[in-house]
Amino acid sequence: ASPGLAAPLGGVANGTQLRHLAQTLREGTSNIMHHLMTHLNKEETHCMPLVAQYLTKTEINDLVGKIMGKRSSELMSQILTMAVQNLNEADRDD
């Protein structure tokens, strides 16, 4: 960590250091979010149509089951909670 970030993480921080840390976290979070949304958009527009074209529903379900089965129950709970929170109300009811 840079000297400006070390104090807030391990010692007494002043307001300037905390503002710098907050700004750094805000920028990093924004950057990660941008890359995640780009990735998910590519998945939805390019990958999923190919998966649907070349795999049967049974094959897709088996593949998803294998992928999800390797995740901890805690992680799966977090993933499903985030997924449901991002659905519109009509889809949540389904």
Side-chain angles (χ1 to χ4, degrees):
S2 70
L5 297 179
L9 298 176
V12 177
N14 64 38
T16 301
Q17 290 171 317
L18 289 176
R19 281 190 292 280
H20 176 70
L21 176 60
Q23 181 62 30
T24 301
L25 290 172
R26 188 174 19 256
E27 290 169 2
T29 302
S30 177
N31 191 27
I32 289 170
M33 188 68 173
H34 171 75
H35 287 287
L36 175 62
M37 296 311 293
T38 299
H39 168 82
L40 293 176
N41 185 47
K42 286 180 183 177
E43 240 180 44
E44 288 292 321
T45 59
H46 299 294
C47 297
M48 292 310 294
L50 290 172
V51 168
Q53 181 179 349
Y54 291 104
L55 298 177
T56 66
K57 289 235 183 233
T58 301
E59 290 170 325
I60 294 169
N61 289 338
D62 288 346
L63 183 60
V64 169
K66 287 177 184 175
I67 293 168
M68 295 303 171
K70 294 180 181 179
R71 308 293 182 255
S72 71
S73 60
E74 180 181 332
L75 178 60
M76 287 309 303
S77 177
Q78 291 172 350
I79 290 170
L80 293 173
T81 298
M82 283 191 318
V84 170
Q85 288 173 344
N86 287 298
L87 290 174
N88 63 44
E89 248 181 82
D91 290 334
R92 284 184 197 177
D93 293 339
D94 290 341

